[in-house]
Amino acid sequence: MMSGRRERSGAATRYAAGLRCISCREEYEVTDAGTCKECYEEASETEEELKREIEDLKAKVAFLKLASPIEHHRSYFTDLILLASDDHCLALRAHKAVLISRSPVFRAMLENEMEESRSGTIKISDVSYEVLRSFVRYLYTAEVSLDEQLACELLILAEKYQVKHLKAFCEKFMTSKVTNDNAVSSFAFAHRHNAKQLLEASLSLITDNMDTLTERDEYKELVETDPRLVVEIYEAYLAKQINTASSRDAAS
Amino acid sequence: MMSGRRERSGAATRYAAGLRCISCREEYEVTDAGTCKECYEEASETEEELKREIEDLKAKVAFLKLASPIEHHRSYFTDLILLASDDHCLALRAHKAVLISRSPVFRAMLENEMEESRSGTIKISDVSYEVLRSFVRYLYTAEVSLDEQLACELLILAEKYQVKHLKAFCEKFMTSKVTNDNAVSSFAFAHRHNAKQLLEASLSLITDNMDTLTERDEYKELVETDPRLVVEIYEAYLAKQINTASSRDAAS
């Protein structure tokens, strides 16, 4: 059974102890030792348990998802109409019960006998029909296929209607897409919409690349439109420099 | 840093290689070796990823759960009344949209302009108000606190209304509660309600304890009420004996 044996050469071979990894089945040296057998077995059991838990949770998600009236082009006993600002002819049907479950803002609108509750119609301003569709679909299914533009627009809607889960989902997506090119605009966006994770990620990237900052168009624009944010960038940069200097002193 | 060192004695000590487990930090011998460092690190990463996935899924479940009109004693724009057979005065309010999402039987009832759809009332026969409450609550939240009696009654309801997720949940619970004492009745129950996992578990326990089978009251009852099931028990027992004998022959 030597076929899987890892080839060793030179100095390393001297320490070979004939140890064989239970996981990858290859031999390794004392210096490459990982766990004892007991911990390996415990870890394997833990992994199996975690995987079972994931399967259970996935089944629960599938059970709890609601058939969205948008997806299926059926009325499904809807009792509410949503209208986007760009097209008053295309109405989206929905259920009051679902909307109040997902959003405290819709709850307040619909439970307090406001205009929306009486008319059975809610107008959602500053949003296109397509974005509103994605929004409503998410309220029913917790599913959406994001691109950067949609994430941005849905985050704004989610913030407005206090749909925390969707806001966090969009923010996570946007944070994963922060680059040097969009860091300044992401930072400004995060500021406007209280997106802490996105704010930290973009600010960190900006202060890591200060040498090119002032040449960028989005920087120049920000100086014009919101100089206080530019001040924040410089303050963060300064704090980072002081921090780095003091930890360098401590090390030397 | 010798405080955590495991005490070894006699023969085992001879093989001590000075290996220290990265996970539990204790020393171990070559014979107790588990993984190499690389595999340990991979496993740790996998575990972290799985735990993050679990957190994400739990958040999704929390988002998708619906506020149940039962829990909150509010109407929540309900459009349907459910009546248990034991008490026609206590009505449970619900939403057609939720019921058709969870059960193809409710969907057929409500979408096909049957009596239930017109009247907005569904009578659920052979079920107590308390069980119906738990059932409806599960349809909204995927949550229920089971005991053996409730699991049994909810499984029957879940089968009748084809709520697969709840049926599987109850069956899993009942399977975990099979003992020598209830194995025969569990087997008969599993047969009546097409619960394969429960059937296999109870049949396996019965055939492992054939020596006491015929003395039990539930066995005598089953011979009277459904002798075909008793035949199945004996057939399974015989098959197991033949199997054991042939694997014993193969081994010797």
Side-chain angles (χ1 to χ4, degrees):
Chain A
M1 302 294 277
M2 301 292 277
S3 62
R5 186 168 182 163
R6 207 181 278 165
E7 289 303 319
R8 306 284 180 183
S9 66
T13 319
R14 292 204 304 272
Y15 304 106
L19 293 162
R20 190 178 287 279
C21 174
I22 303 182
S23 175
C24 67
R25 314 303 305 162
E26 297 205 359
E27 284 196 15
Y28 63 90
E29 288 114 45
V30 173
T31 46
D32 282 330
T35 65
C36 64
K37 200 182 268 175
E38 211 176 308
C39 285
Y40 166 72
E41 278 159 8
E42 265 175 36
S44 306
E45 271 173 41
T46 308
E47 194 176 321
E48 282 311 304
E49 274 167 32
L50 293 175
K51 283 180 178 167
R52 270 196 299 275
E53 193 176 348
I54 287 174
E55 285 315 303
D56 284 352
L57 283 166
K58 281 185 178 169
K60 209 174 236 189
V61 166
F63 173 72
L64 284 170
K65 278 200 293 188
L66 285 168
S68 140
I70 298 166
E71 235 56 44
H72 301 269
H73 306 289
R74 299 169 78 161
S75 92
Y76 283 142
F77 311 107
T78 50
D79 52 7
L80 191 69
I81 297 281
L82 295 170
L83 288 175
S85 50
D86 66 345
D87 193 340
H88 285 215
C89 307
L90 285 168
L92 285 169
R93 292 175 168 281
H95 299 89
K96 289 177 183 172
V98 176
L99 266 61
I100 64 170
S101 257
R102 308 294 193 234
S103 152
V105 177
F106 284 132
R107 177 180 296 272
M109 269 183 195
L110 294 169
E111 288 193 338
N112 296 333
E113 283 298 318
M114 289 166 77
E115 166 61 22
E116 289 85 358
S117 182
R118 273 192 299 272
S119 66
T121 302
I122 299 181
K123 287 176 191 148
I124 314 278
S125 51
D126 304 321
V127 67
S128 70
Y129 174 78
E130 280 309 318
V131 173
L132 184 58
R133 246 180 91 93
S134 297
F135 180 63
V136 174
R137 184 169 179 261
Y138 195 89
L139 300 183
Y140 281 77
T141 62
E143 279 173 2
V144 61
S145 168
L146 291 178
D147 59 33
E148 277 150 281
Q149 182 60 26
L150 184 59
C152 186
E153 297 192 60
L154 281 181
L155 189 148
I156 296 171
L157 257 188
E159 198 200 2
K160 187 170 170 190
Y161 291 98
Q162 295 176 34
V163 186
K164 281 185 195 166
H165 189 262
L166 175 58
K167 187 180 169 190
F169 188 73
C170 294
E171 186 176 350
K172 197 172 170 186
F173 179 87
M174 290 180 77
T175 303
S176 76
K177 300 288 180 188
V178 177
T179 62
N180 262 334
D181 286 339
N182 65 21
V184 173
S185 59
S186 294
F187 173 68
F189 178 87
H191 232 286
R192 273 197 305 282
H193 300 289
N194 307 305
K196 201 171 166 232
Q197 192 193 2
L198 180 61
L199 191 127
E200 280 168 10
S202 50
L203 191 57
S204 164
L205 205 64
I206 293 169
T207 53
D208 281 348
N209 297 280
M210 288 300 275
D211 48 336
T212 56
L213 177 68
T214 53
E215 293 152 25
R216 287 188 222 155
D217 288 342
E218 47 174 6
Y219 169 81
K220 288 168 194 162
E221 204 182 303
L222 195 62
V223 173
E224 292 302 315
T225 56
D226 204 341
R228 280 171 314 168
L229 290 194
V230 179
V231 173
E232 265 191 44
I233 291 175
Y234 283 114
E235 284 176 355
Y237 177 60
L238 189 64
K240 205 181 217 172
Q241 278 197 316
I242 293 168
N243 231 328
T244 314
S246 67
S247 53
R248 205 186 302 125
D249 289 348
S252 67
Chain B
M1 301 294 276
M2 302 292 276
S3 62
R5 186 168 184 163
R6 208 181 278 165
E7 289 304 318
R8 305 285 180 183
S9 66
T13 319
R14 290 205 304 273
Y15 304 106
L19 295 162
R20 191 179 287 278
C21 174
I22 303 183
S23 175
C24 66
R25 313 305 305 161
E26 297 205 1
E27 284 197 15
Y28 62 90
E29 288 115 46
V30 173
T31 47
D32 281 330
T35 64
C36 63
K37 201 182 268 175
E38 211 176 308
C39 284
Y40 166 73
E41 279 159 8
E42 265 174 38
S44 305
E45 271 172 42
T46 308
E47 194 176 320
E48 282 311 303
E49 274 167 33
L50 293 174
K51 282 181 179 167
R52 270 197 299 276
E53 193 176 347
I54 287 174
E55 285 315 301
D56 285 351
L57 284 165
K58 281 185 177 168
K60 210 174 234 188
V61 166
F63 173 72
L64 285 170
K65 278 199 295 188
L66 285 168
S68 140
I70 299 167
E71 235 55 44
H72 302 270
H73 306 289
R74 298 170 79 160
S75 93
Y76 283 142
F77 312 107
T78 49
D79 53 6
L80 191 69
I81 297 280
L82 294 171
L83 288 175
S85 50
D86 67 345
D87 192 339
H88 284 214
C89 307
L90 285 169
L92 285 169
R93 293 174 168 281
H95 299 90
K96 290 177 183 174
V98 177
L99 267 60
I100 64 170
S101 257
R102 308 294 193 232
S103 152
V105 177
F106 284 131
R107 177 180 296 272
M109 269 182 195
L110 294 168
E111 288 193 337
N112 297 331
E113 283 298 318
M114 289 164 77
E115 166 62 21
E116 289 85 358
S117 183
R118 273 192 299 273
S119 66
T121 302
I122 300 181
K123 287 177 191 148
I124 315 277
S125 50
D126 304 321
V127 67
S128 71
Y129 174 77
E130 280 309 318
V131 173
L132 184 58
R133 246 180 91 93
S134 296
F135 180 63
V136 174
R137 185 170 178 260
Y138 195 89
L139 300 183
Y140 281 78
T141 62
E143 279 173 3
V144 62
S145 168
L146 291 179
D147 59 32
E148 275 150 284
Q149 181 60 27
L150 183 60
C152 186
E153 297 192 59
L154 281 181
L155 189 147
I156 297 171
L157 257 187
E159 198 200 1
K160 186 170 170 189
Y161 290 98
Q162 294 177 33
V163 186
K164 281 185 196 169
H165 189 262
L166 174 58
K167 187 180 170 189
F169 188 72
C170 293
E171 186 177 349
K172 197 172 168 184
F173 178 86
M174 290 181 77
T175 303
S176 76
K177 299 287 180 188
V178 177
T179 62
N180 262 335
D181 286 338
N182 64 22
V184 174
S185 59
S186 294
F187 173 68
F189 178 87
H191 232 286
R192 273 198 304 282
H193 301 288
N194 308 305
K196 202 173 164 229
Q197 192 193 0
L198 180 61
L199 191 126
E200 280 169 10
S202 49
L203 191 56
S204 165
L205 205 63
I206 294 168
T207 52
D208 281 348
N209 297 280
M210 290 298 276
D211 48 335
T212 56
L213 177 69
T214 53
E215 293 152 24
R216 286 187 223 156
D217 288 342
E218 47 175 5
Y219 170 80
K220 289 168 193 161
E221 204 182 303
L222 195 62
V223 173
E224 294 300 317
T225 56
D226 204 341
R228 280 171 314 168
L229 289 195
V230 180
V231 173
E232 265 192 44
I233 291 175
Y234 283 114
E235 283 176 356
Y237 177 60
L238 188 64
K240 205 181 218 172
Q241 278 197 316
I242 293 167
N243 230 329
T244 314
S246 67
S247 52
R248 205 187 301 127
D249 289 348
S252 67

